[in-house]
PDB file of all heavy atoms in Angstrom:
ATOM      1  N   SER A  34      75.989 116.266 119.022  1.00 85.00           N
ATOM      2  CA  SER A  34      75.606 117.074 117.865  1.00 85.00           C
ATOM      3  C   SER A  34      74.083 117.112 117.735  1.00 85.00           C
ATOM      4  O   SER A  34      73.361 116.318 118.342  1.00 85.00           O
ATOM      5  CB  SER A  34      76.221 116.503 116.586  1.00 85.00           C
ATOM      6  OG  SER A  34      75.583 115.281 116.257  1.00 85.00           O
ATOM      7  N   ARG A  35      73.623 118.032 116.910  1.00 87.00           N
ATOM      8  CA  ARG A  35      72.191 118.160 116.662  1.00 87.00           C
ATOM      9  C   ARG A  35      71.625 116.858 116.125  1.00 87.00           C
ATOM     10  O   ARG A  35      70.560 116.414 116.543  1.00 87.00           O
ATOM     11  CB  ARG A  35      71.942 119.304 115.661  1.00 87.00           C
ATOM     12  CG  ARG A  35      70.474 119.454 115.253  1.00 87.00           C
ATOM     13  CD  ARG A  35      70.317 120.342 114.033  1.00 87.00           C
ATOM     14  NE  ARG A  35      71.050 119.900 112.877  1.00 87.00           N
ATOM     15  CZ  ARG A  35      70.684 118.890 112.071  1.00 87.00           C
ATOM     16  NH1 ARG A  35      69.595 118.209 112.319  1.00 87.00           N
ATOM     17  NH2 ARG A  35      71.407 118.559 111.025  1.00 87.00           N
ATOM     18  N   GLN A  36      72.351 116.215 115.215  1.00 87.00           N
ATOM     19  CA  GLN A  36      71.858 114.983 114.615  1.00 87.00           C
ATOM     20  C   GLN A  36      71.772 113.858 115.641  1.00 87.00           C
ATOM     21  O   GLN A  36      70.833 113.066 115.613  1.00 87.00           O
ATOM     22  CB  GLN A  36      72.746 114.563 113.446  1.00 87.00           C
ATOM     23  CG  GLN A  36      72.566 115.470 112.240  1.00 87.00           C
ATOM     24  CD  GLN A  36      73.458 115.065 111.113  1.00 87.00           C
ATOM     25  OE1 GLN A  36      74.654 115.304 111.169  1.00 87.00           O
ATOM     26  NE2 GLN A  36      72.885 114.450 110.104  1.00 87.00           N
ATOM     27  N   VAL A  37      72.721 113.774 116.564  1.00 88.00           N
ATOM     28  CA  VAL A  37      72.676 112.745 117.603  1.00 88.00           C
ATOM     29  C   VAL A  37      71.498 113.003 118.526  1.00 88.00           C
ATOM     30  O   VAL A  37      70.765 112.077 118.896  1.00 88.00           O
ATOM     31  CB  VAL A  37      74.008 112.709 118.390  1.00 88.00           C
ATOM     32  CG1 VAL A  37      73.897 111.813 119.608  1.00 88.00           C
ATOM     33  CG2 VAL A  37      75.139 112.257 117.489  1.00 88.00           C
ATOM     34  N   LEU A  39      68.762 114.514 117.706  1.00 92.00           N
ATOM     35  CA  LEU A  39      67.567 114.195 116.926  1.00 92.00           C
ATOM     36  C   LEU A  39      67.319 112.692 116.925  1.00 92.00           C
ATOM     37  O   LEU A  39      66.196 112.238 117.164  1.00 92.00           O
ATOM     38  CB  LEU A  39      67.708 114.711 115.496  1.00 92.00           C
ATOM     39  CG  LEU A  39      66.590 114.351 114.520  1.00 92.00           C
ATOM     40  CD1 LEU A  39      65.250 114.900 114.989  1.00 92.00           C
ATOM     41  CD2 LEU A  39      66.921 114.877 113.137  1.00 92.00           C
ATOM     42  N   LYS A  40      68.361 111.902 116.691  1.00 90.00           N
ATOM     43  CA  LYS A  40      68.214 110.442 116.717  1.00 90.00           C
ATOM     44  C   LYS A  40      67.739 109.964 118.079  1.00 90.00           C
ATOM     45  O   LYS A  40      66.868 109.097 118.175  1.00 90.00           O
ATOM     46  CB  LYS A  40      69.538 109.764 116.368  1.00 90.00           C
ATOM     47  CG  LYS A  40      69.902 109.836 114.920  1.00 90.00           C
ATOM     48  CD  LYS A  40      71.223 109.125 114.674  1.00 90.00           C
ATOM     49  CE  LYS A  40      71.687 109.298 113.254  1.00 90.00           C
ATOM     50  NZ  LYS A  40      72.985 108.634 113.034  1.00 90.00           N
ATOM     51  N   PHE A  42      66.007 111.663 120.271  1.00 93.00           N
ATOM     52  CA  PHE A  42      64.606 112.073 120.430  1.00 93.00           C
ATOM     53  C   PHE A  42      63.676 111.104 119.714  1.00 93.00           C
ATOM     54  O   PHE A  42      62.665 110.665 120.265  1.00 93.00           O
ATOM     55  CB  PHE A  42      64.412 113.495 119.894  1.00 93.00           C
ATOM     56  CG  PHE A  42      62.990 113.958 119.893  1.00 93.00           C
ATOM     57  CD1 PHE A  42      62.414 114.458 121.046  1.00 93.00           C
ATOM     58  CD2 PHE A  42      62.212 113.877 118.745  1.00 93.00           C
ATOM     59  CE1 PHE A  42      61.086 114.875 121.049  1.00 93.00           C
ATOM     60  CE2 PHE A  42      60.893 114.285 118.732  1.00 93.00           C
ATOM     61  CZ  PHE A  42      60.324 114.782 119.902  1.00 93.00           C
ATOM     62  N   LEU A  43      64.025 110.756 118.477  1.00 93.00           N
ATOM     63  CA  LEU A  43      63.180 109.846 117.696  1.00 93.00           C
ATOM     64  C   LEU A  43      63.120 108.461 118.337  1.00 93.00           C
ATOM     65  O   LEU A  43      62.060 107.836 118.370  1.00 93.00           O
ATOM     66  CB  LEU A  43      63.680 109.760 116.252  1.00 93.00           C
ATOM     67  CG  LEU A  43      63.583 111.055 115.444  1.00 93.00           C
ATOM     68  CD1 LEU A  43      64.231 110.883 114.077  1.00 93.00           C
ATOM     69  CD2 LEU A  43      62.146 111.511 115.304  1.00 93.00           C
ATOM     70  N   VAL A  48      59.567 106.992 117.232  1.00 91.00           N
ATOM     71  CA  VAL A  48      59.147 107.477 115.924  1.00 91.00           C
ATOM     72  C   VAL A  48      60.023 106.812 114.879  1.00 91.00           C
ATOM     73  O   VAL A  48      61.251 106.810 114.999  1.00 91.00           O
ATOM     74  CB  VAL A  48      59.284 109.016 115.830  1.00 91.00           C
ATOM     75  CG1 VAL A  48      58.928 109.510 114.445  1.00 91.00           C
ATOM     76  CG2 VAL A  48      58.425 109.685 116.882  1.00 91.00           C
ATOM     77  N   GLU A  49      59.416 106.248 113.859  1.00 92.00           N
ATOM     78  CA  GLU A  49      60.165 105.589 112.799  1.00 92.00           C
ATOM     79  C   GLU A  49      60.384 106.543 111.631  1.00 92.00           C
ATOM     80  O   GLU A  49      59.508 107.339 111.286  1.00 92.00           O
ATOM     81  CB  GLU A  49      59.413 104.355 112.316  1.00 92.00           C
ATOM     82  CG  GLU A  49      59.297 103.281 113.377  1.00 92.00           C
ATOM     83  CD  GLU A  49      58.610 102.032 112.852  1.00 92.00           C
ATOM     84  OE1 GLU A  49      58.303 101.976 111.641  1.00 92.00           O
ATOM     85  OE2 GLU A  49      58.388 101.131 113.666  1.00 92.00           O
ATOM     86  N   TYR A  50      61.553 106.429 111.033  1.00 91.00           N
ATOM     87  CA  TYR A  50      61.885 107.261 109.878  1.00 91.00           C
ATOM     88  C   TYR A  50      60.854 107.077 108.768  1.00 91.00           C
ATOM     89  O   TYR A  50      60.444 108.035 108.133  1.00 91.00           O
ATOM     90  CB  TYR A  50      63.274 106.906 109.343  1.00 91.00           C
ATOM     91  CG  TYR A  50      64.417 107.577 110.067  1.00 91.00           C
ATOM     92  CD1 TYR A  50      64.707 107.293 111.386  1.00 91.00           C
ATOM     93  CD2 TYR A  50      65.213 108.493 109.416  1.00 91.00           C
ATOM     94  CE1 TYR A  50      65.766 107.897 112.038  1.00 91.00           C
ATOM     95  CE2 TYR A  50      66.278 109.109 110.044  1.00 91.00           C
ATOM     96  CZ  TYR A  50      66.546 108.808 111.365  1.00 91.00           C
ATOM     97  OH  TYR A  50      67.574 109.417 112.000  1.00 91.00           O
ATOM     98  N   GLN A  51      60.467 105.842 108.526  1.00 93.00           N
ATOM     99  CA  GLN A  51      59.536 105.571 107.424  1.00 93.00           C
ATOM    100  C   GLN A  51      58.192 106.255 107.665  1.00 93.00           C
ATOM    101  O   GLN A  51      57.584 106.785 106.735  1.00 93.00           O
ATOM    102  CB  GLN A  51      59.337 104.071 107.226  1.00 93.00           C
ATOM    103  CG  GLN A  51      58.565 103.733 105.968  1.00 93.00           C
ATOM    104  CD  GLN A  51      59.259 104.198 104.706  1.00 93.00           C
ATOM    105  OE1 GLN A  51      60.406 103.844 104.461  1.00 93.00           O
ATOM    106  NE2 GLN A  51      58.587 104.989 103.893  1.00 93.00           N
ATOM    107  N   ALA A  52      57.713 106.270 108.903  1.00 93.00           N
ATOM    108  CA  ALA A  52      56.443 106.931 109.216  1.00 93.00           C
ATOM    109  C   ALA A  52      56.541 108.434 108.957  1.00 93.00           C
ATOM    110  O   ALA A  52      55.605 109.039 108.411  1.00 93.00           O
ATOM    111  CB  ALA A  52      56.045 106.661 110.660  1.00 93.00           C
ATOM    112  N   LEU A  53      57.663 109.046 109.345  1.00 93.00           N
ATOM    113  CA  LEU A  53      57.843 110.475 109.075  1.00 93.00           C
ATOM    114  C   LEU A  53      57.948 110.741 107.583  1.00 93.00           C
ATOM    115  O   LEU A  53      57.370 111.700 107.074  1.00 93.00           O
ATOM    116  CB  LEU A  53      59.104 110.992 109.768  1.00 93.00           C
ATOM    117  CG  LEU A  53      59.012 111.229 111.267  1.00 93.00           C
ATOM    118  CD1 LEU A  53      60.362 111.657 111.818  1.00 93.00           C
ATOM    119  CD2 LEU A  53      57.962 112.263 111.593  1.00 93.00           C
ATOM    120  N   ALA A  54      58.682 109.890 106.888  1.00 94.00           N
ATOM    121  CA  ALA A  54      58.816 110.054 105.437  1.00 94.00           C
ATOM    122  C   ALA A  54      57.462 109.959 104.761  1.00 94.00           C
ATOM    123  O   ALA A  54      57.142 110.760 103.872  1.00 94.00           O
ATOM    124  CB  ALA A  54      59.784 109.009 104.878  1.00 94.00           C
ATOM    125  N   LEU A  57      55.483 113.080 105.199  1.00 93.00           N
ATOM    126  CA  LEU A  57      55.973 114.182 104.372  1.00 93.00           C
ATOM    127  C   LEU A  57      55.790 113.924 102.882  1.00 93.00           C
ATOM    128  O   LEU A  57      55.955 114.830 102.066  1.00 93.00           O
ATOM    129  CB  LEU A  57      57.459 114.434 104.645  1.00 93.00           C
ATOM    130  CG  LEU A  57      57.823 114.949 106.027  1.00 93.00           C
ATOM    131  CD1 LEU A  57      59.327 115.011 106.178  1.00 93.00           C
ATOM    132  CD2 LEU A  57      57.203 116.301 106.290  1.00 93.00           C
ATOM    133  N   ILE A  59      57.744 111.847 101.136  1.00 94.00           N
ATOM    134  CA  ILE A  59      59.065 111.681 100.541  1.00 94.00           C
ATOM    135  C   ILE A  59      59.605 110.311 100.914  1.00 94.00           C
ATOM    136  O   ILE A  59      59.032 109.613 101.745  1.00 94.00           O
ATOM    137  CB  ILE A  59      60.041 112.794 100.996  1.00 94.00           C
ATOM    138  CG1 ILE A  59      60.218 112.789 102.524  1.00 94.00           C
ATOM    139  CG2 ILE A  59      59.578 114.152 100.508  1.00 94.00           C
ATOM    140  CD1 ILE A  59      61.222 113.799 103.042  1.00 94.00           C
ATOM    141  N   SER A  60      60.721 109.931 100.309  1.00 94.00           N
ATOM    142  CA  SER A  60      61.325 108.640 100.630  1.00 94.00           C
ATOM    143  C   SER A  60      62.108 108.733 101.940  1.00 94.00           C
ATOM    144  O   SER A  60      62.431 109.830 102.424  1.00 94.00           O
ATOM    145  CB  SER A  60      62.271 108.209  99.507  1.00 94.00           C
ATOM    146  OG  SER A  60      63.414 109.035  99.492  1.00 94.00           O
ATOM    147  N   LYS A  61      62.420 107.577 102.475  1.00 94.00           N
ATOM    148  CA  LYS A  61      63.199 107.515 103.708  1.00 94.00           C
ATOM    149  C   LYS A  61      64.586 108.128 103.489  1.00 94.00           C
ATOM    150  O   LYS A  61      65.109 108.833 104.346  1.00 94.00           O
ATOM    151  CB  LYS A  61      63.309 106.062 104.155  1.00 94.00           C
ATOM    152  CG  LYS A  61      63.931 105.853 105.497  1.00 94.00           C
ATOM    153  CD  LYS A  61      63.880 104.377 105.857  1.00 94.00           C
ATOM    154  CE  LYS A  61      64.692 104.066 107.067  1.00 94.00           C
ATOM    155  NZ  LYS A  61      64.699 102.630 107.373  1.00 94.00           N
ATOM    156  N   GLY A  62      65.177 107.882 102.321  1.00 93.00           N
ATOM    157  CA  GLY A  62      66.476 108.461 101.990  1.00 93.00           C
ATOM    158  C   GLY A  62      66.427 109.979 101.907  1.00 93.00           C
ATOM    159  O   GLY A  62      67.340 110.669 102.359  1.00 93.00           O
ATOM    160  N   ALA A  63      65.352 110.503 101.321  1.00 94.00           N
ATOM    161  CA  ALA A  63      65.194 111.957 101.239  1.00 94.00           C
ATOM    162  C   ALA A  63      65.027 112.553 102.635  1.00 94.00           C
ATOM    163  O   ALA A  63      65.537 113.649 102.919  1.00 94.00           O
ATOM    164  CB  ALA A  63      64.002 112.325 100.360  1.00 94.00           C
ATOM    165  N   LEU A  64      64.335 111.841 103.524  1.00 93.00           N
ATOM    166  CA  LEU A  64      64.182 112.312 104.906  1.00 93.00           C
ATOM    167  C   LEU A  64      65.543 112.365 105.591  1.00 93.00           C
ATOM    168  O   LEU A  64      65.835 113.325 106.313  1.00 93.00           O
ATOM    169  CB  LEU A  64      63.233 111.403 105.687  1.00 93.00           C
ATOM    170  CG  LEU A  64      63.026 111.787 107.151  1.00 93.00           C
ATOM    171  CD1 LEU A  64      62.325 113.132 107.274  1.00 93.00           C
ATOM    172  CD2 LEU A  64      62.232 110.710 107.865  1.00 93.00           C
ATOM    173  N   CYS A  65      66.382 111.376 105.356  1.00 91.00           N
ATOM    174  CA  CYS A  65      67.732 111.390 105.922  1.00 91.00           C
ATOM    175  C   CYS A  65      68.520 112.593 105.406  1.00 91.00           C
ATOM    176  O   CYS A  65      69.280 113.206 106.157  1.00 91.00           O
ATOM    177  CB  CYS A  65      68.455 110.084 105.606  1.00 91.00           C
ATOM    178  SG  CYS A  65      67.776 108.667 106.487  1.00 91.00           S
ATOM    179  N   ASP A  66      68.316 112.945 104.143  1.00 91.00           N
ATOM    180  CA  ASP A  66      68.967 114.132 103.582  1.00 91.00           C
ATOM    181  C   ASP A  66      68.461 115.404 104.253  1.00 91.00           C
ATOM    182  O   ASP A  66      69.232 116.337 104.492  1.00 91.00           O
ATOM    183  CB  ASP A  66      68.735 114.228 102.075  1.00 91.00           C
ATOM    184  CG  ASP A  66      69.556 113.223 101.281  1.00 91.00           C
ATOM    185  OD1 ASP A  66      70.507 112.645 101.850  1.00 91.00           O
ATOM    186  OD2 ASP A  66      69.249 113.031 100.092  1.00 91.00           O
ATOM    187  N   VAL A  67      67.178 115.454 104.571  1.00 92.00           N
ATOM    188  CA  VAL A  67      66.624 116.614 105.279  1.00 92.00           C
ATOM    189  C   VAL A  67      67.241 116.695 106.674  1.00 92.00           C
ATOM    190  O   VAL A  67      67.719 117.751 107.096  1.00 92.00           O
ATOM    191  CB  VAL A  67      65.080 116.530 105.373  1.00 92.00           C
ATOM    192  CG1 VAL A  67      64.528 117.598 106.305  1.00 92.00           C
ATOM    193  CG2 VAL A  67      64.452 116.655 103.991  1.00 92.00           C
ATOM    194  N   PHE A  68      67.262 115.578 107.396  1.00 91.00           N
ATOM    195  CA  PHE A  68      67.807 115.561 108.755  1.00 91.00           C
ATOM    196  C   PHE A  68      69.285 115.930 108.787  1.00 91.00           C
ATOM    197  O   PHE A  68      69.747 116.601 109.700  1.00 91.00           O
ATOM    198  CB  PHE A  68      67.616 114.197 109.400  1.00 91.00           C
ATOM    199  CG  PHE A  68      66.212 113.933 109.886  1.00 91.00           C
ATOM    200  CD1 PHE A  68      65.809 112.639 110.145  1.00 91.00           C
ATOM    201  CD2 PHE A  68      65.296 114.951 110.085  1.00 91.00           C
ATOM    202  CE1 PHE A  68      64.522 112.369 110.610  1.00 91.00           C
ATOM    203  CE2 PHE A  68      64.013 114.697 110.541  1.00 91.00           C
ATOM    204  CZ  PHE A  68      63.629 113.402 110.800  1.00 91.00           C
ATOM    205  N   SER A  69      70.036 115.503 107.786  1.00 88.00           N
ATOM    206  CA  SER A  69      71.477 115.770 107.768  1.00 88.00           C
ATOM    207  C   SER A  69      71.794 117.206 107.370  1.00 88.00           C
ATOM    208  O   SER A  69      72.895 117.677 107.602  1.00 88.00           O
ATOM    209  CB  SER A  69      72.179 114.813 106.814  1.00 88.00           C
ATOM    210  OG  SER A  69      71.867 115.139 105.483  1.00 88.00           O
ATOM    211  N   GLY A  70      70.826 117.885 106.769  1.00 87.00           N
ATOM    212  CA  GLY A  70      71.048 119.255 106.333  1.00 87.00           C
ATOM    213  C   GLY A  70      71.442 119.364 104.875  1.00 87.00           C
ATOM    214  O   GLY A  70      71.705 120.459 104.386  1.00 87.00           O
ATOM    215  N   ARG A  71      71.490 118.233 104.159  1.00 88.00           N
ATOM    216  CA  ARG A  71      71.836 118.288 102.738  1.00 88.00           C
ATOM    217  C   ARG A  71      70.693 118.841 101.907  1.00 88.00           C
ATOM    218  O   ARG A  71      70.924 119.465 100.882  1.00 88.00           O
ATOM    219  CB  ARG A  71      72.220 116.890 102.229  1.00 88.00           C
ATOM    220  CG  ARG A  71      73.577 116.423 102.701  1.00 88.00           C
ATOM    221  CD  ARG A  71      73.992 115.129 102.020  1.00 88.00           C
ATOM    222  NE  ARG A  71      73.132 114.016 102.365  1.00 88.00           N
ATOM    223  CZ  ARG A  71      73.356 113.151 103.354  1.00 88.00           C
ATOM    224  NH1 ARG A  71      74.422 113.293 104.103  1.00 88.00           N
ATOM    225  NH2 ARG A  71      72.523 112.156 103.588  1.00 88.00           N
ATOM    226  N   ARG A  72      69.436 118.592 102.326  1.00 86.00           N
ATOM    227  CA  ARG A  72      68.260 119.075 101.590  1.00 86.00           C
ATOM    228  C   ARG A  72      67.196 119.586 102.567  1.00 86.00           C
ATOM    229  O   ARG A  72      66.083 119.073 102.616  1.00 86.00           O
ATOM    230  CB  ARG A  72      67.674 117.933 100.752  1.00 86.00           C
ATOM    231  CG  ARG A  72      68.563 117.496  99.629  1.00 86.00           C
ATOM    232  CD  ARG A  72      68.025 116.314  98.873  1.00 86.00           C
ATOM    233  NE  ARG A  72      66.612 116.436  98.532  1.00 86.00           N
ATOM    234  CZ  ARG A  72      65.868 115.438  98.087  1.00 86.00           C
ATOM    235  NH1 ARG A  72      66.385 114.249  97.933  1.00 86.00           N
ATOM    236  NH2 ARG A  72      64.607 115.616  97.790  1.00 86.00           N
ATOM    237  N   PRO A  73      67.524 120.607 103.352  1.00 86.00           N
ATOM    238  CA  PRO A  73      66.560 121.081 104.347  1.00 86.00           C
ATOM    239  C   PRO A  73      65.495 122.003 103.749  1.00 86.00           C
ATOM    240  O   PRO A  73      65.549 123.209 103.884  1.00 86.00           O
ATOM    241  CB  PRO A  73      67.425 121.809 105.365  1.00 86.00           C
ATOM    242  CG  PRO A  73      68.541 122.352 104.543  1.00 86.00           C
ATOM    243  CD  PRO A  73      68.782 121.324 103.456  1.00 86.00           C
ATOM    244  N   SER A  74      64.528 121.423 103.081  1.00 87.00           N
ATOM    245  CA  SER A  74      63.460 122.200 102.462  1.00 87.00           C
ATOM    246  C   SER A  74      62.638 122.907 103.546  1.00 87.00           C
ATOM    247  O   SER A  74      62.236 122.276 104.523  1.00 87.00           O
ATOM    248  CB  SER A  74      62.563 121.251 101.666  1.00 87.00           C
ATOM    249  OG  SER A  74      61.328 121.857 101.380  1.00 87.00           O
ATOM    250  N   HIS A  77      59.444 121.031 104.275  1.00 92.00           N
ATOM    251  CA  HIS A  77      59.601 119.806 105.056  1.00 92.00           C
ATOM    252  C   HIS A  77      59.918 120.116 106.518  1.00 92.00           C
ATOM    253  O   HIS A  77      59.397 119.456 107.417  1.00 92.00           O
ATOM    254  CB  HIS A  77      60.686 118.916 104.458  1.00 92.00           C
ATOM    255  CG  HIS A  77      60.329 118.383 103.118  1.00 92.00           C
ATOM    256  ND1 HIS A  77      61.271 118.180 102.139  1.00 92.00           N
ATOM    257  CD2 HIS A  77      59.144 118.017 102.573  1.00 92.00           C
ATOM    258  CE1 HIS A  77      60.681 117.708 101.058  1.00 92.00           C
ATOM    259  NE2 HIS A  77      59.381 117.610 101.292  1.00 92.00           N
ATOM    260  N   ILE A  78      60.764 121.110 106.756  1.00 92.00           N
ATOM    261  CA  ILE A  78      61.100 121.496 108.131  1.00 92.00           C
ATOM    262  C   ILE A  78      59.844 121.962 108.862  1.00 92.00           C
ATOM    263  O   ILE A  78      59.586 121.559 110.002  1.00 92.00           O
ATOM    264  CB  ILE A  78      62.183 122.599 108.144  1.00 92.00           C
ATOM    265  CG1 ILE A  78      63.480 122.114 107.496  1.00 92.00           C
ATOM    266  CG2 ILE A  78      62.430 123.102 109.563  1.00 92.00           C
ATOM    267  CD1 ILE A  78      64.185 120.988 108.193  1.00 92.00           C
ATOM    268  N   LEU A  81      57.693 118.950 109.720  1.00 94.00           N
ATOM    269  CA  LEU A  81      58.262 118.168 110.818  1.00 94.00           C
ATOM    270  C   LEU A  81      57.981 118.833 112.163  1.00 94.00           C
ATOM    271  O   LEU A  81      57.671 118.157 113.147  1.00 94.00           O
ATOM    272  CB  LEU A  81      59.768 117.975 110.616  1.00 94.00           C
ATOM    273  CG  LEU A  81      60.158 116.996 109.516  1.00 94.00           C
ATOM    274  CD1 LEU A  81      61.635 117.143 109.154  1.00 94.00           C
ATOM    275  CD2 LEU A  81      59.833 115.568 109.927  1.00 94.00           C
ATOM    276  N   ILE A  82      58.050 120.152 112.197  1.00 94.00           N
ATOM    277  CA  ILE A  82      57.733 120.884 113.427  1.00 94.00           C
ATOM    278  C   ILE A  82      56.263 120.684 113.777  1.00 94.00           C
ATOM    279  O   ILE A  82      55.914 120.460 114.935  1.00 94.00           O
ATOM    280  CB  ILE A  82      58.108 122.370 113.290  1.00 94.00           C
ATOM    281  CG1 ILE A  82      59.635 122.506 113.204  1.00 94.00           C
ATOM    282  CG2 ILE A  82      57.546 123.187 114.452  1.00 94.00           C
ATOM    283  CD1 ILE A  82      60.118 123.886 112.810  1.00 94.00           C
ATOM    284  N   LEU A  84      54.549 118.126 113.141  1.00 93.00           N
ATOM    285  CA  LEU A  84      54.411 116.738 113.598  1.00 93.00           C
ATOM    286  C   LEU A  84      55.011 116.518 114.990  1.00 93.00           C
ATOM    287  O   LEU A  84      54.943 115.411 115.512  1.00 93.00           O
ATOM    288  CB  LEU A  84      55.064 115.784 112.588  1.00 93.00           C
ATOM    289  CG  LEU A  84      54.359 115.699 111.240  1.00 93.00           C
ATOM    290  CD1 LEU A  84      55.207 114.911 110.245  1.00 93.00           C
ATOM    291  CD2 LEU A  84      52.979 115.057 111.391  1.00 93.00           C
ATOM    292  N   ILE A  86      58.359 117.441 116.030  1.00 93.00           N
ATOM    293  CA  ILE A  86      59.814 117.391 116.141  1.00 93.00           C
ATOM    294  C   ILE A  86      60.289 118.783 116.575  1.00 93.00           C
ATOM    295  O   ILE A  86      59.953 119.775 115.933  1.00 93.00           O
ATOM    296  CB  ILE A  86      60.481 117.011 114.792  1.00 93.00           C
ATOM    297  CG1 ILE A  86      59.871 115.741 114.207  1.00 93.00           C
ATOM    298  CG2 ILE A  86      61.994 116.889 114.968  1.00 93.00           C
ATOM    299  CD1 ILE A  86      60.042 114.504 115.032  1.00 93.00           C
ATOM    300  N   PRO A  87      61.057 118.884 117.667  1.00 94.00           N
ATOM    301  CA  PRO A  87      61.505 120.203 118.124  1.00 94.00           C
ATOM    302  C   PRO A  87      62.365 120.912 117.068  1.00 94.00           C
ATOM    303  O   PRO A  87      63.248 120.309 116.453  1.00 94.00           O
ATOM    304  CB  PRO A  87      62.341 119.882 119.370  1.00 94.00           C
ATOM    305  CG  PRO A  87      61.850 118.548 119.825  1.00 94.00           C
ATOM    306  CD  PRO A  87      61.461 117.816 118.588  1.00 94.00           C
ATOM    307  N   LEU A  90      66.204 120.725 116.941  1.00 93.00           N
ATOM    308  CA  LEU A  90      66.828 119.479 116.504  1.00 93.00           C
ATOM    309  C   LEU A  90      66.888 119.363 114.984  1.00 93.00           C
ATOM    310  O   LEU A  90      67.513 118.438 114.456  1.00 93.00           O
ATOM    311  CB  LEU A  90      66.074 118.272 117.068  1.00 93.00           C
ATOM    312  CG  LEU A  90      66.019 118.163 118.594  1.00 93.00           C
ATOM    313  CD1 LEU A  90      65.254 116.925 119.002  1.00 93.00           C
ATOM    314  CD2 LEU A  90      67.416 118.169 119.184  1.00 93.00           C
ATOM    315  N   LEU A  91      66.264 120.281 114.287  1.00 93.00           N
ATOM    316  CA  LEU A  91      66.196 120.242 112.826  1.00 93.00           C
ATOM    317  C   LEU A  91      67.174 121.253 112.232  1.00 93.00           C
ATOM    318  O   LEU A  91      67.464 122.276 112.849  1.00 93.00           O
ATOM    319  CB  LEU A  91      64.774 120.542 112.357  1.00 93.00           C
ATOM    320  CG  LEU A  91      63.725 119.539 112.829  1.00 93.00           C
ATOM    321  CD1 LEU A  91      62.328 120.060 112.513  1.00 93.00           C
ATOM    322  CD2 LEU A  91      63.952 118.187 112.187  1.00 93.00           C
ATOM    323  N   PRO A  92      67.667 120.986 111.019  1.00 91.00           N
ATOM    324  CA  PRO A  92      68.577 121.952 110.391  1.00 91.00           C
ATOM    325  C   PRO A  92      67.831 123.215 109.976  1.00 91.00           C
ATOM    326  O   PRO A  92      66.621 123.202 109.782  1.00 91.00           O
ATOM    327  CB  PRO A  92      69.101 121.202 109.167  1.00 91.00           C
ATOM    328  CG  PRO A  92      68.043 120.206 108.855  1.00 91.00           C
ATOM    329  CD  PRO A  92      67.433 119.818 110.174  1.00 91.00           C
ATOM    330  N   GLU A  93      68.576 124.283 109.865  1.00 87.00           N
ATOM    331  CA  GLU A  93      67.999 125.545 109.397  1.00 87.00           C
ATOM    332  C   GLU A  93      67.762 125.456 107.895  1.00 87.00           C
ATOM    333  O   GLU A  93      68.655 125.043 107.152  1.00 87.00           O
ATOM    334  CB  GLU A  93      68.952 126.700 109.678  1.00 87.00           C
ATOM    335  CG  GLU A  93      69.081 127.055 111.138  1.00 87.00           C
ATOM    336  CD  GLU A  93      67.831 127.688 111.684  1.00 87.00           C
ATOM    337  OE1 GLU A  93      67.184 128.489 110.974  1.00 87.00           O
ATOM    338  OE2 GLU A  93      67.484 127.375 112.830  1.00 87.00           O
TER     339      GLU A  93
END
Side-chain angles (χ1 to χ4, degrees):
S34 71
R35 176 194 57 77
Q36 288 179 286
V37 171
L39 175 60
K40 286 181 186 179
F42 175 82
L43 295 174
V48 177
E49 295 183 4
Y50 277 66
Q51 189 61 56
L53 283 177
L57 294 174
I59 60 177
S60 70
K61 188 176 170 183
L64 179 65
C65 291
D66 286 345
V67 170
F68 283 162
S69 71
R71 286 188 295 267
R72 292 176 46 193
S74 163
H77 294 146
I78 299 296
L81 287 165
I82 292 169
L84 292 171
I86 308 297
L90 299 180
L91 298 170
E93 289 290 322

